[in-house]
Amino acid sequence: MKIVAICGAGIGTSGILKVNAERALARLDLEAEVTASDLASVATAAADAQVILTSPEFVEAIGKTNADVIVVQNYFDVDELTAKLEAALG
């Protein structure tokens, strides 16, 4: 399974989201390749992803995708990520 965390530049916020998504997956006892990417690279980075994690302001810019797009309100809230990943994957 592949999960891509998307933010504007692909280094700050998406990096935080990536680490916390890995923590959430560990809580759920699930394994996935989690990567961080910028919005400009989303088409390539998420071409084979099952899940895209992002904030509300980037949802429209992601465009058409076969991945489940999960909107995260608080990148630091591992409980929120855990619940949303469990709903999408479980």
Side-chain angles (χ1 to χ4, degrees):
M1 174 177 8
K2 182 176 178 183
I3 298 173
V4 179
I6 302 292
C7 75
I11 52 173
T13 329
S14 62
I16 293 165
L17 188 53
K18 173 189 179 299
V19 169
N20 286 334
E22 290 169 341
R23 290 178 181 157
L25 290 167
R27 286 184 182 183
L28 296 169
D29 199 27
L30 295 172
E31 290 187 21
E33 173 191 353
V34 184
T35 60
S37 181
D38 65 328
L39 192 57
S41 304
V42 68
T44 304
D48 59 346
Q50 286 72 40
V51 175
I52 298 172
L53 302 172
T54 193
S55 59
E57 64 266 24
F58 296 124
V59 172
E60 281 190 36
I62 290 171
K64 186 178 179 187
T65 179
N66 291 324
D68 288 330
V69 177
I70 297 176
V71 177
V72 180
Q73 300 298 327
N74 182 348
Y75 283 19
F76 296 98
D77 186 350
V78 179
D79 291 333
E80 176 191 356
L81 273 168
T82 302
K84 289 183 174 180
L85 284 169
E86 184 174 38
L89 302 175

